Amino acid sequence: MIKAAIMGYGTIGSGVMEVLEINQNSIAKRVGEGIEVKYVLDLRDFPGEPIQEKIVHDYKAIVEDEEVKIVVETMGGVEPAYTFVKAMLEAGKHVTTSNKALVAAKGAELIALAKEKNVNFMFEASVGGGIPIIRPLNSCLTADEIEEITGIVNGTTNYMMTKMTEEGSEFDDVLKDAQAKGYAEKDPTADIEGYDACRKIAILTSLVCGQQVDFEDIHTEGITKITATDIKYAKAMGRAIKLLASSKKTDGGYVAMVAPYLLPKTHPLYSVNDVFNAIFVHGNVLGDAMFYGSGAGKLPTASAVVADIVEMAKHIDMNIPVEWSSKKLELVDYKKSVNKFFVRVSSEDKAAVEKVFGNVSYVAAEGVTGELGFVTETMTEAEFESKAAELGNVVQTIRVA
Ligand code: HSE
């Protein structure tokens, strides 16, 4: 039996326990021996529940037990997760985490520490929930220069955008519905402002480039300004609005961004609806690939964590190298990237629009009056910003993919 511990018995931590139980036999067959959870670290007690006998409140009980070889971190947040994970690696234990905040902030350091201690720090569940994307990037797509990664990597906001599109509802109503269904948290800021997606694309870009991408450097816009009127325009254009997290290789380097985009029906991410996630990857020799599936939730996320446990158990005396150095990657300023922009202005003065933007395509949305909607030609973000300021009465801007 390989002994393991779980730090944090919330949704994902208890899901890990459940997956290890449900698939006990097949997991043991794949590893060559069983996995037994010896400890569960949590602040709470669970009186009367079988898990209670495994509960410890001090992470040092796990650090000091040499029998424990693999530790799962499902606590969330940077601290105290970072302190605990670091102590586990320093004690020569393998660690897997579902915690994107921890990976985005401390990934390079924890990968280096794991290498030094000849163990592994794995984080498949930190991006795309149950969808395999970290291991594919780290081991299957290593023949390629990855030129683009664009993903719908946040299930909550994708559910909300799908609902707004299907029902024509306003943002606030859809948010309440998402909260009632347990998709959006009580404080939904991290999801709806794009911060969650930002950390995920920072992790993916770091893996693709092999260097540290600081999430603070990634221009991030959420979905909070999207309205039912925008959805009407999207429908008139035969497009869907989706929150995309993307990273593209340009002549000067990588440019990364999180923002809502208007996607045409032909776009590979157009049909990714509800809480599903998908990650589109373009490699210079591979061409296109898509990873699609359950991007969040208890069992899908736990499935990815347990897959890491299996991988670590199979390499119990060996570090599997991950290329992600702490050397900071300077991203290209997003203002240099080019897009077409859908714009709404609060007047019907076409002459003023054309004087500033030149050639535009107007869009008429059903029941919308007293304003103009139009799509610009392709231009840089910087050019657009300056033209929009010159025009002065812009009420909405959404990039057009
Ligand atoms: N809040 C995240 C989402 C959970 O909605 O996708 C998974 O990271």
Side-chain angles (χ1 to χ4, degrees):
M1 277 283 181
I2 295 180
K3 304 276 196 252
I6 298 173
M7 302 195 293
Y9 199 63
T11 308
I12 311 303
S14 59
V16 169
M17 199 73 198
E18 213 174 310
V19 171
L20 285 170
E21 274 164 22
I22 298 170
N23 291 336
Q24 200 182 119
N25 294 336
S26 54
I27 290 167
K29 215 162 137 191
R30 284 177 188 131
V31 172
E33 58 184 307
I35 307 285
E36 185 196 325
V37 175
K38 187 169 179 183
Y39 302 107
V40 172
L41 177 76
D42 205 283
L43 290 171
R44 298 162 296 175
D45 279 306
F46 297 84
E49 292 184 39
I51 201 70
Q52 180 60 40
E53 65 185 45
K54 298 180 190 292
I55 291 286
V56 289
H57 300 301
D58 185 354
Y59 76 102
K60 289 188 181 138
I62 303 171
V63 174
E64 285 159 12
D65 188 336
E66 284 186 12
E67 230 191 358
V68 175
K69 301 289 181 209
I70 296 175
V71 179
V72 171
E73 187 277 304
T74 45
M75 300 162 59
V78 177
E79 278 296 358
Y82 168 63
T83 302
F84 295 180
V85 167
K86 201 171 161 191
M88 298 304 160
L89 293 170
E90 272 166 351
K93 301 177 194 303
H94 298 263
V95 177
T96 166
T97 181
S98 59
N99 181 345
K100 71 226 110 182
L102 174 69
V103 180
K106 305 285 183 186
E109 181 191 332
L110 296 171
I111 286 166
L113 179 57
K115 189 173 180 189
E116 190 191 315
K117 298 289 173 184
N118 199 35
V119 289
N120 292 289
F121 175 64
M122 292 191 175
F123 43 91
E124 183 60 68
S126 65
V127 182
I131 308 172
I133 182 65
I134 304 295
R135 218 167 343 269
L137 286 178
N138 199 35
S139 59
C140 311
L141 300 176
T142 45
D144 275 73
E145 289 281 329
I146 304 297
E147 294 175 336
E148 177 180 350
I149 292 200
T150 298
I152 292 175
V153 289
N154 184 271
T156 305
T157 47
N158 203 40
Y159 172 81
M160 290 176 64
M161 294 316 304
T162 306
K163 207 76 182 147
M164 283 179 78
T165 302
E166 282 171 356
E167 296 176 1
S169 348
E170 283 296 354
F171 178 85
D172 287 340
D173 298 326
V174 170
L175 176 58
K176 279 189 200 116
D177 169 71
Q179 283 172 319
K181 289 205 166 73
Y183 295 146
E185 292 183 32
K186 209 165 140 198
D187 177 359
T189 316
D191 290 324
I192 63 178
E193 294 291 0
Y195 305 153
D196 174 85
C198 170
R199 277 152 185 79
K200 289 169 176 168
I201 196 68
I203 294 170
L204 295 178
T205 313
S206 297
L207 281 173
V208 161
C209 308
Q211 281 179 239
Q212 175 65 25
V213 172
D214 290 338
F215 64 83
E216 296 93 336
D217 295 346
I218 298 176
H219 177 74
T220 300
E221 296 171 21
I223 60 163
T224 52
K225 295 193 182 104
I226 304 295
T227 65
T229 306
D230 299 326
I231 300 290
K232 285 184 184 166
Y233 277 106
K235 283 185 178 165
M237 285 185 261
R239 287 173 180 264
I241 305 174
K242 301 279 182 193
L243 183 68
L244 299 188
S246 73
S247 190
K248 289 180 188 161
K249 198 173 181 187
T250 66
D251 287 344
Y254 279 88
V255 59
M257 183 152 73
V258 175
Y261 276 80
L262 278 151
L263 305 187
K265 286 195 173 102
T266 49
H267 195 285
L269 297 170
Y270 175 90
S271 310
V272 178
N273 287 322
D274 298 312
V275 287
F276 283 98
N277 280 196
I279 299 141
F280 166 84
V281 179
H282 181 87
N284 68 335
V285 284
L286 162 80
D288 297 345
M290 265 274 274
F291 299 81
Y292 170 86
S294 305
K298 182 178 178 169
L299 292 182
T301 309
S303 156
V305 173
V306 174
D308 278 352
I309 297 178
V310 171
E311 191 70 356
M312 296 190 295
K314 284 161 119 177
H315 299 88
I316 206 79
D317 296 319
M318 186 188 154
N319 170 262
I320 302 168
V322 180
E323 207 199 330
W324 177 347
S325 82
S326 54
K327 188 170 170 239
K328 182 179 159 92
L329 183 85
E330 295 295 344
L331 293 171
V332 172
D333 184 354
Y334 85 97
K335 288 195 180 173
K336 291 184 180 160
S337 62
V338 290
N339 276 299
K340 282 186 176 181
F341 297 84
F342 165 69
V343 186
R344 285 171 51 206
V345 288
S346 60
S347 86
E348 292 177 278
D349 188 352
K350 287 187 176 176
V353 167
E354 285 160 32
K355 183 168 171 266
V356 175
F357 280 99
N359 197 19
V360 297
S361 313
Y362 292 100
V363 187
E366 203 186 319
V368 180
T369 54
E371 63 172 70
L372 280 177
F374 63 92
V375 177
T376 70
E377 301 273 277
T378 303
M379 62 186 74
T380 65
E381 294 272 346
E383 277 173 293
F384 175 77
E385 201 176 284
S386 121
K387 285 180 193 289
E390 191 186 333
L391 188 60
N393 56 349
V394 172
V395 291
Q396 180 61 291
T397 302
I398 307 173
R399 292 167 186 85
V400 177

